[in-house]
Amino acid sequence: MRQSQKTEQQADRLSRIGLENRKYTRARSTDYGEGKGMSVTIQDLVLDRNNLNQAYLRVKRNKGAAGIDDMTVNDLLPYLRENKRELIASLREGKYKPAPVKRVEIPKPNGGVRKLGIPTVVDRMVQQAVAQILTPIFERVFSDNSFGFRPHRGAHDAIAKVVDLYNQGYRRVVDLDLKAYFDNVNHDLMIKYLQQYIDDPWTLRLIRKFLTSGVLDHGLFAKSEKGTPQGGPLSPILANIYLNELDKELTRRGHHFVRYADDCNIYVKSQRAGERVMRSITQFLEKRLKVKVNPDKTKVGSPLRLKFLGFSLGVDHNGAYARPAKQSQQRVKKALRLLTKRNRGISLTRMFEEIQRKMRGWLQYYSIGKLTDFIQRLDKWLRARIRQYI
């Protein structure tokens, strides 16, 4: 299967066709393809051979665990060679039925667990094929203040925006914490928000099937009455489509904000304004979007003390700058403490390799912040730990 840019170009063309009408699907193009008056729908683009090839290659490249059928990414190509026609026919005729996702729990750094739902590799490929078509369409809809799960955007861009807002005089932040956001997405509202831009029944039915496919947890099946399980290729874009309603509301009210997936910070100029915004936005989220705000973790405070994406801010004569939050510093020190325990009984070479592997990723992520003082202290402490081990 070969990669091709044809499908991306088709999706981009479809998006431009519908841009004026804000309905991006079931658009009619009089100059699309070779024949005049040819109809183009998301279904056509999703099931396009090149799009499916790209989806397969992406799933193969991402690897990942097997779903409930134990099929691995290495088993996918032989499966497709035998069942490709039947798979495409079932999708085209609306008979395709996704399998339940496998429940996996991943420990969070600050305690608790994050629940993931691992789809089968075939379902992952179909989800990826849909996501590849939806992404360029919704990139024309999403806010410039949204940075998570989007192409050519990331946490570093979000932090740069935070620094800029602080330097503009927005010295207080409403730190919103959504309680188990991915587990509480309302399916009917999700379809409603999709329908604002998508008028293709085939696509909407397929997405609802994925939302309601159920969960297999330690051999027990549970229905999916709400939520979009983390772990599948569709989940990130669906999460952004849902919370785009929050972005639109914040923009309508004239607020300055930065959102990364379900982490959202709203920047204001006073504590009083922050508390007022926190109350009104909490009401909007719980009544309009049907998601729960965690009252214990949602707060108004200073960006110099509160944590966002692992960073806090510092200030010097040049203005604000990013720095690793205290919790991030403590976490990496704890990890290094475990790696350098005196009773591990491993070689120094292996220990140094583990330390280097850990610190390479950490330094790469926090490199946009000021690190010199912390790294000097950490280096002195780590050398003492290694001397004790020796």
Side-chain angles (χ1 to χ4, degrees), residues 120-310:
T120 65
V121 290
V122 175
D123 286 342
R124 291 213 293 272
M125 192 191 82
V126 176
Q127 286 192 31
Q128 180 64 37
V130 176
Q132 287 170 178
I133 302 304
L134 293 187
T135 295
I137 293 172
F138 279 93
E139 277 300 301
R140 289 156 174 76
V141 174
F142 290 153
S143 167
D144 285 339
N145 299 311
S146 163
F147 295 90
F149 305 136
R150 295 182 61 187
H152 314 301
R153 285 171 168 254
H156 288 181
D157 303 303
I159 296 302
K161 178 76 172 179
V162 169
V163 171
D164 182 56
L165 286 171
Y166 190 91
N167 287 332
Q168 289 181 42
Y170 295 92
R171 305 294 168 82
R172 309 304 286 180
V173 57
V174 181
D175 184 11
L176 290 173
D177 186 275
L178 302 183
K179 191 173 183 179
Y181 164 67
F182 286 87
D183 296 330
N184 286 297
V185 168
N186 183 285
H187 292 169
D188 291 334
L189 287 178
M190 173 66 79
I191 298 301
K192 175 185 174 183
Y193 299 148
L194 280 161
Q195 282 178 315
Q196 291 178 129
Y197 308 100
I198 290 177
D199 190 25
D200 181 35
W202 180 88
T203 305
L204 295 172
R205 282 196 299 268
L206 182 59
I207 290 174
R208 187 179 278 277
K209 284 182 180 180
F210 279 117
L211 290 173
T212 59
S213 62
V215 176
L216 202 65
D217 189 358
H218 295 96
L220 298 176
F221 174 79
K223 291 183 178 179
S224 301
E225 296 181 350
K226 59 181 179 178
T228 171
Q230 292 175 272
L234 257 181
S235 183
I237 188 170
L238 292 182
N240 270 335
I241 290 169
Y242 200 89
L243 284 181
N244 187 54
E245 299 303 308
L246 170 63
D247 297 346
K248 285 158 60 176
E249 181 66 15
L250 291 172
T251 301
R252 187 185 68 80
R253 297 185 186 189
H255 291 313
H256 295 274
F257 66 97
V258 178
R259 183 175 66 79
Y260 190 95
D262 57 332
D263 290 328
C264 184
N265 278 3
I266 307 167
Y267 293 86
V268 294
K269 292 190 173 181
S270 71
Q271 183 75 16
R272 185 176 179 182
E275 290 172 355
R276 184 181 67 249
V277 169
M278 182 175 68
R279 287 192 297 270
S280 62
I281 291 300
T282 296
Q283 188 176 42
F284 171 83
L285 285 165
E286 294 187 338
K287 290 193 174 180
R288 291 276 299 278
L289 299 191
K290 309 298 183 186
V291 294
K292 298 177 182 177
V293 176
N294 190 333
D296 298 325
K297 294 183 178 180
T298 296
K299 56 179 76 73
V300 181
S302 168
L304 304 181
R305 290 190 293 273
L306 295 181
K307 176 174 69 76
F308 182 57
L309 303 179

Side-chain angles (χ1 to χ4, degrees), residues 45-99:
L45 297 175
V46 169
L47 299 181
D48 177 86
R49 178 183 176 184
N50 294 312
N51 186 54
L52 292 173
N53 285 348
Q54 288 181 42
Y56 161 76
L57 291 169
R58 178 64 66 87
V59 170
K60 175 79 172 176
R61 187 164 60 247
N62 289 347
K63 299 180 181 178
I68 63 169
D69 61 356
D70 294 325
M71 185 188 295
T72 68
V73 290
N74 293 326
D75 300 326
L76 182 55
L77 184 57
Y79 173 85
L80 291 174
R81 283 174 175 158
E82 280 205 28
N83 300 280
K84 180 178 67 176
R85 289 185 179 180
E86 292 83 351
L87 175 63
I88 293 175
S90 68
L91 283 164
R92 191 178 300 281
E93 296 165 10
K95 297 178 181 178
Y96 181 79
K97 186 177 180 182

